[in-house]
Amino acid sequence: MKKILLLVAIMAAAITLFAQTEPTTEKEKEKGKLTFSGYAEAYYSYDMNQPANHTKPGFLYNFNRHNELNLNLAMLKANYNSDRVRGNIALMTGTYAQYNMAAEPTILQYVYEANVGIRVGKNVWIDAGIMPAHIGFESAIGKDCYTLTRSMLAENSPYFETGAKVTWTPNEKWSFAVLYLNGWQRIKRVDGNQTPSFGTQISFKPSDKVLLNWSTYVGNDFPDSTRRMRYFNNLYGTFGITDKFSLIAGIDYGLQQKAKGSSDLSNWYTPIVIARYAFTEKLAAAGRVEYFNDADGVVITTDTPHGFQTTGYSLNLDFTPVSNVMFRIEGRMFNGRDKTFIKGTELKNNNAALTASLAVWF
């Protein structure tokens, strides 16, 4: 409790600092603004394999508690933004934090993001701290995603990262970024690891209806004594086909050394397509087809002959009665090449679940 109170005190002090920063120009005085926001999403999920410990398959980190009402994410955020300076601090709780932050020190497990930035050129920003990952099109904030649950692609690549980021946006269509990172979804660097990690991001938005993105990561997520370099690519596009119909298509492809100094590489890849149709402003549906192939168990370990080779399907219905409330229900199924799912004392190729959620934000 003392650690939590200390974290709250630090957040309050930082907010005060942002709010009291003296603008240096009239332009900054006009643009500088401190805002507060919040988000909460409760859920109930029923896994047809009925896990006795109430935990759904281990490669899922969101909405992963079976047959119990729970909170996936509750977050309070402060944002300061001016012409030259910006900053974000957000505290969180919920099962997202419980499972995604399990490797971090206790006091940091409640931090969704904490970063500061300064503009050093006409269109160049330097940001540093705990930030949302530069990889992927999904986040833990469900209302911003097409589907209720997160994809296998998102669940097994970073949601957050810690480091420094330089972003250059020469115009409205292009954005370029390079990053120095503490590791693969890390706040605290792995003990014994002195290897720097890097990332890049290129985004191209030729129109309001199309966005193309390519993100990369290069680094080592092990102690240097057992260093295994990882090389990762994330490519996706979002397409507004019509005013009602939109599409996301993407693929991750990763490589990792099988042993320190080895030229032999394991690989994994995961393509995905999500289609969304808005019947009205309040009612929409989305369908997802995805596949994850990790034969050597680099990111999902199974100890089976073919590793983790699984196809996933889902269909969700969204209802937004007012502008800041969303109710969702989703059916989801996995079909694996090997028997990687557990039902009682038996191993199964299949897994299915039904999930409902209610999100509120301000």
Side-chain angles (χ1 to χ4, degrees):
M1 181 59 70
K2 289 182 179 179
K3 291 181 179 179
I4 297 173
L5 292 174
L6 175 61
L7 191 61
V8 172
I10 292 171
M11 180 179 181
I15 290 171
T16 302
L17 177 63
F18 287 150
Q20 293 179 350
T21 299
E22 287 295 329
T24 58
T25 68
E26 288 299 318
K27 187 175 181 180
E28 287 182 21
K29 289 180 181 179
E30 293 174 2
K31 290 193 174 182
K33 187 177 182 182
L34 179 66
T35 58
F36 297 91
S37 60
Y39 181 81
E41 186 168 15
Y43 71 97
Y44 175 85
S45 188
Y46 192 87
D47 188 319
M48 304 306 173
N49 286 351
Q50 300 177 335
N53 63 357
H54 295 274
T55 304
K56 294 165 71 175
F59 59 88
L60 301 176
Y61 300 90
N62 282 273
F63 308 96
N64 63 343
R65 297 294 295 169
H66 156 69
N67 194 25
E68 64 182 36
L69 286 166
N70 219 313
L71 185 69
N72 190 62
L73 176 67
M75 178 180 65
L76 290 174
K77 179 176 179 178
N79 166 262
Y80 178 75
N81 199 4
S82 73
D83 181 60
R84 291 290 304 276
V85 178
R86 63 190 182 190
N88 299 280
I89 301 178
L91 298 180
M92 66 175 171
T93 189
T95 54
Y96 164 84
Q98 177 185 355
Y99 288 91
N100 278 277
M101 312 295 286
E104 304 297 340
T106 303
I107 194 171
L108 296 176
Q109 292 177 4
Y110 302 94
V111 180
Y112 183 83
E113 65 175 312
N115 54 74
V116 294
I118 183 169
R119 185 170 62 82
V120 296
K122 183 179 180 181
N123 297 301
V124 179
W125 282 86
I126 298 177
D127 296 278
I130 304 168
M131 302 173 285
H134 70 290
I135 294 169
F137 53 85
E138 295 174 279
S139 76
I141 302 174
K143 73 178 183 66
D144 297 333
C145 302
Y146 277 18
T147 56
L148 190 164
T149 58
R150 302 294 81 83
S151 65
M152 291 187 286
L153 175 150
E155 294 281 51
N156 296 281
S157 61
Y159 281 111
F160 63 89
E161 56 200 12
T162 305
K165 179 180 183 181
V166 180
T167 306
W168 176 45
T169 309
N171 53 51
E172 294 181 354
K173 293 184 177 181
W174 288 96
S175 178
F176 303 88
V178 293
L179 303 95
Y180 175 88
L181 302 168
N182 282 354
W184 177 268
Q185 187 161 280
R186 297 283 183 181
I187 298 178
K188 175 183 176 291
R189 186 186 287 273
V190 173
D191 291 343
N193 180 315
Q194 305 296 337
T195 308
S197 297
F198 299 96
T200 65
Q201 183 175 21
I202 300 174
S203 295
F204 176 54
K205 192 174 183 180
S207 70
D208 291 339
K209 294 183 179 295
V210 177
L211 170 65
L212 303 175
N213 186 93
W214 176 38
S215 297
T216 70
Y217 170 89
V218 176
N220 163 49
D221 206 44
F222 300 89
D224 288 348
S225 59
T226 57
R227 180 186 297 123
R228 281 174 275 174
M229 294 300 296
R230 178 174 294 183
Y231 310 96
F232 182 80
N233 290 270
N234 164 252
L235 180 67
Y236 70 86
T238 63
F239 308 92
I241 308 300
T242 69
D243 291 341
K244 293 180 177 291
F245 180 68
S246 54
L247 189 74
I248 299 176
I251 186 170
D252 283 359
Y253 182 74
L255 295 165
Q256 182 170 287
Q257 286 179 303
K258 291 186 176 182
K260 183 177 181 180
S262 173
S263 59
D264 292 334
L265 301 173
S266 297
N267 72 83
W268 73 99
Y269 59 93
T270 172
I272 183 171
V273 176
I274 305 175
R276 183 178 186 271
Y277 187 82
F279 300 99
T280 68
E281 291 184 357
K282 296 183 177 182
L283 188 65
R288 170 175 55 197
V289 179
E290 55 184 333
Y291 177 69
F292 204 108
N293 187 310
D294 186 7
D296 290 342
V298 178
V299 291
I300 303 178
T301 303
T302 63
D303 296 321
T304 58
H306 302 99
F308 188 79
Q309 299 186 41
T310 299
T311 304
Y313 311 91
S314 72
L315 180 66
N316 62 278
L317 187 67
D318 305 342
F319 177 56
T320 309
V322 293
S323 60
N324 64 334
V325 176
M326 179 183 288
F327 173 76
R328 309 178 104 169
I329 187 166
E330 177 187 273
R332 190 176 193 180
M333 183 176 69
F334 297 112
N335 182 19
R337 180 174 179 179
D338 291 340
K339 295 182 177 181
T340 58
F341 301 100
I342 301 173
K343 184 174 184 180
T345 58
E346 297 182 70
L347 291 174
K348 299 286 187 179
N349 294 88
N350 302 312
N351 176 261
L354 186 66
T355 305
S357 73
L358 179 64
V360 180
W361 60 91
F362 66 87

